[in-house]
Amino acid sequence: MAIRERLSGNEATAFAMKQINPDVVAAFPITPSTEVPQYFSTYVANGEVDTEFVAVESEHSAMSACIGAQAAGARAMTATSANGLALMWELLYIASGSRLPIVMACINRALSGPINIHNDHSDSMGARDSGWIQLYSENCQEAYDNMLMAHRIGEHHDVLLPVMVCQDGFITSHAIENIELLEDEKVKAFVGEYKPQYFLLNKENPISVGPLDHFTHYFEHKRQQAEAMKNAKKVILEVSEEFYRLTGRKYGLFEEYKTDDAEVCIVVLNSTAGTTKFVVDKMRQEGKKVGLIKPRVYRPFPVDEIAEALAKFKAVAVMDKADSFNAAGGPLFTDITSAMFSKEVFGPKVINYIYGLGGRDVRTDDIELIYNKLLNIAISGKVDSVYNYIGVRE
Amino acid sequence: MSIKDCSDVKCRVENLEKVISPDVSWKDITIGGMIANAGNAELFNTGDWRSMKPIWIKDKCKQCLLCYPVCPDTSILIDNEGKRTDFDYKHCKGCGICAKVCPFKAIDFIEEV
Ligand code: SF4
Ligand code: SF4
């Protein structure tokens, strides 16, 4: 019998970490992720976990400690946000390049400057090419569920990559929601014991990690790493299927909401997908054929699947809570359009909206406006502007 | 992966040579650049980096061995009789210290071509 609780996204994340009981957690506090290691350190102090908690002096050191621990043969976790993630930057590549399946809770927050502690996705989007698997979560339940699946995905033999579980800072990290938790034993059985094949503390089979690689071998290692990311897609689906059988909660690469007969569609990550569902329901009552696609897995990017899913629409808007500053469109938009182009999906008109930067509220009215814009495009077949902003004062 | 979880030293050394070899493919190379055995620096050919090259002039050499301790790459080879022989060009980086130190001008230092 699942446990019914009321938890914030940060509490749910810390609770998942408690149930996972990792060997090492190394973290440095940064808003809005601070509560994750804070709650977790209480579990450590109360003896509820066996974890070695490493209080470090910066996020750079937090990730370094995780890398050292994971290379030694331990299961290591951390949590961070915004500039903390940016400070981990070079280590993110070392973690993925050394193929260490560390798990991180990324509580999304805007990157300064100017200084801003509120939610957008500029932090995790900045790390999108760092070789980490990225899962996004609409609400506290998904943040908890993704956390439980993360180790299984990253530690799989065909993958061996670090995993970032993202959720919206303050919006879900600090908002208390009803949540269903799994029993400790079930989590323990699902997540399983970490049994790395190679690790530094194995004296039976000594290894060195992080050697000089040069042009003679580096390219081969990167090619191999790219293959692991491709493999991750299948593994994510397998793990999600197993999780579904355990909990009845179904997760895929992305969620399709009322898309069956929809003519237009919004693609959006994390909590805004929840707001969009509300608008979809409302507009559906007015007889408008609108739908939503919410990517859960952003890295690896589900190129084939998402292009195929979008093929049937007349118009699509991709909403980005981060700007690429490339004078062309946000990160999700450029991935979506290149997926569609490479899969020869040329039917739908695709536009981009940058929204909610630095925690700017995204209102149901804004989303309704985008749907109406899409419905007009569907009729006229004309797009006046591809790369747009919504919610900014003109 | 070519390096199996194997405690047999011979197998590991064979695999190691395979993965350090210049022609290994991405399918066979060790994961994340992991090195599965000690004492393998010899397989890493640092002589590739050289732009200048020391040349040993055997007739001028007095076997004083002053060059031997200064080489940062242990690239001055000594035979079983304790006599200096030619350079290990696979690992000599061409720093020129040996040529500078030789009191008998028995080491020439020329451009690598
Ligand atoms: S220092 Fe010169 S003379 Fe002495 S052993 Fe070396 S090469 Fe020969
Ligand atoms: S040039 Fe430098 S590296 Fe080469 S043998 Fe002489 S001392 Fe050693």
Side-chain angles (χ1 to χ4, degrees):
Chain A
M1 193 54 200
I3 307 153
R4 291 190 162 279
E5 253 293 4
R6 296 162 306 277
L7 296 177
S8 73
N10 277 346
E11 280 179 299
T13 300
F15 199 83
M17 289 167 70
K18 175 173 98 167
Q19 293 184 310
I20 292 163
N21 192 6
D23 301 302
V24 172
V25 167
F28 185 82
I30 180 165
T31 304
S33 68
T34 306
E35 287 180 341
V36 176
Q38 188 183 328
Y39 287 124
F40 191 79
S41 59
T42 315
Y43 302 139
V44 177
N46 294 344
E48 291 176 79
V49 287
D50 312 312
T51 311
E52 186 76 33
F53 185 81
V54 192
V56 285
E57 97 307 341
S58 76
E59 290 83 354
H60 192 273
S61 302
M63 188 44 64
S64 302
C66 285
I67 288 169
Q70 193 85 36
R75 203 177 238 160
M77 301 182 85
T78 188
T80 198
S81 295
N83 297 56
L85 183 63
L87 189 52
M88 290 179 178
W89 171 248
E90 59 164 324
L91 285 321
L92 295 178
Y93 283 77
I94 291 167
S96 60
S98 305
R99 309 291 298 279
L100 301 170
I102 298 159
V103 171
M104 177 205 301
C106 172
I107 316 300
N108 286 112
R109 167 187 148 181
L111 271 176
S112 307
I115 299 168
N116 182 300
I117 63 163
H118 297 284
N119 166 251
D120 71 29
H121 301 159
S122 47
D123 52 0
S124 59
M125 284 299 160
R128 71 186 188 274
D129 297 340
S130 65
W132 283 60
I133 290 169
Q134 288 194 350
L135 307 178
Y136 284 78
S137 326
E138 180 184 326
N139 48 39
C140 304
Q141 185 72 60
E142 292 192 9
Y144 173 77
D145 292 350
N146 278 334
M147 211 63 184
L148 296 188
M149 286 181 261
H151 290 283
R152 289 286 308 279
I153 295 163
E155 290 167 10
H156 192 284
H157 259 73
D158 297 337
V159 179
L160 293 174
L161 287 174
V163 184
M164 202 180 285
V165 175
C166 303
Q167 61 167 303
D168 282 342
F170 295 114
I171 302 171
T172 60
S173 72
H174 285 61
I176 292 165
E177 289 178 44
N178 290 328
I179 189 169
E180 250 185 41
L181 303 169
L182 280 181
E183 292 85 349
D184 291 354
E185 329 74 75
K186 282 195 185 159
V187 172
K188 207 171 163 210
F190 178 77
V191 178
E193 250 180 77
Y194 180 46
K195 292 197 188 104
Q197 202 179 356
Y198 313 106
F199 53 102
L200 285 171
L201 294 185
N202 178 7
K203 60 183 190 315
E204 301 302 316
N205 198 5
I207 58 162
S208 300
V209 173
L212 189 64
D213 213 11
H214 280 318
F215 44 74
T216 45
H217 295 102
Y218 179 86
F219 200 174
E220 278 68 31
H221 282 126
K222 290 292 136 180
R223 176 65 187 86
Q224 192 183 57
Q225 188 184 328
E227 198 67 12
M229 194 53 101
K230 286 193 213 161
N231 296 343
K233 206 156 71 176
K234 186 168 162 272
V235 172
I236 290 168
L237 290 174
E238 284 166 7
V239 172
S240 304
E241 177 59 30
E242 206 183 307
F243 190 80
Y244 169 61
R245 276 184 264 125
L246 182 67
T247 63
R249 292 193 288 277
K250 212 175 178 75
Y251 291 94
L253 300 170
F254 49 85
E255 182 188 337
E256 294 183 76
Y257 189 74
K258 303 200 173 167
T259 53
D260 278 352
D261 63 337
E263 286 178 357
V264 303
C265 176
I266 283 180
V267 185
V268 70
L269 295 165
N270 271 5
S271 67
T272 309
T275 317
T276 308
K277 283 176 184 172
F278 175 86
V279 178
V280 169
D281 292 347
K282 177 173 172 274
M283 293 182 81
R284 282 266 163 189
Q285 278 176 8
E286 295 159 10
K288 292 176 177 154
K289 291 187 172 165
V290 296
L292 160 77
I293 285 185
K294 177 188 78 179
R296 169 197 180 215
V297 180
Y298 182 58
R299 287 291 180 268
F301 194 69
V303 185
D304 303 358
E305 296 83 352
I306 222 158
E308 196 191 317
L310 291 171
K312 61 172 177 270
F313 303 111
K314 290 186 176 141
V316 174
V318 181
M319 293 179 68
D320 268 293
K321 217 172 194 181
D323 202 340
S324 276
F325 304 107
N326 57 1
L332 186 58
F333 171 76
T334 42
D335 276 325
I336 294 274
T337 45
S338 77
M340 293 171 81
F341 188 85
S342 62
K343 296 294 152 196
E344 299 185 44
V345 173
F346 303 125
K349 306 281 179 195
V350 192
I351 57 170
N352 186 206
Y353 277 99
I354 309 288
Y355 76 101
L357 298 192
R360 175 66 49 88
D361 243 0
V362 54
R363 301 166 308 158
T364 54
D365 288 357
D366 297 329
I367 292 167
E368 197 167 342
L369 194 140
I370 295 175
Y371 274 127
N372 283 326
K373 177 107 184 165
L374 290 175
L375 289 165
N376 282 337
I377 293 173
I379 294 165
S380 71
K382 283 196 180 64
V383 172
D384 49 10
S385 164
V386 173
Y387 181 21
N388 310 285
Y389 294 82
I390 190 153
V392 69
R393 287 184 297 277
E394 296 293 344
Chain B
M1 293 306 102
S2 64
I3 295 203
K4 301 286 180 307
D5 196 6
C6 165
S7 51
D8 173 8
V9 173
K10 190 167 158 278
C11 146
R12 268 174 26 221
V13 168
E14 276 169 10
N15 276 317
L16 184 75
E17 277 170 5
K18 197 173 163 204
V19 294
I20 305 278
S21 71
D23 54 358
V24 65
S25 85
W26 67 265
K27 293 185 186 102
D28 292 326
I29 204 160
T30 51
I31 191 158
M34 176 193 68
I35 293 176
N37 215 339
N40 51 58
E42 209 181 340
L43 297 169
F44 194 63
N45 196 350
T46 49
D48 274 358
W49 309 350
R50 193 174 50 233
S51 61
M52 295 291 286
K53 183 179 189 172
I55 305 284
W56 182 46
I57 309 161
K58 201 177 170 190
D59 299 343
K60 286 199 196 167
C61 176
K62 306 274 189 250
Q63 292 294 344
C64 69
L65 291 188
L66 283 172
C67 55
Y68 179 77
V70 298
C71 173
D73 283 290
T74 340
S75 293
I76 293 175
L77 299 177
I78 308 285
D79 68 12
N80 291 339
E81 270 111 60
K83 291 245 158 48
R84 183 215 199 290
T85 59
D86 209 352
F87 292 103
D88 165 14
Y89 285 120
K90 269 191 166 168
H91 298 94
C92 160
K93 280 198 298 243
C95 66
I97 301 174
C98 55
K100 196 129 200 158
V101 101
C102 174
F104 304 103
K105 304 259 176 300
I107 302 174
D108 225 0
F109 199 53
I110 62 163
E111 245 173 66
E112 174 92 48
V113 276

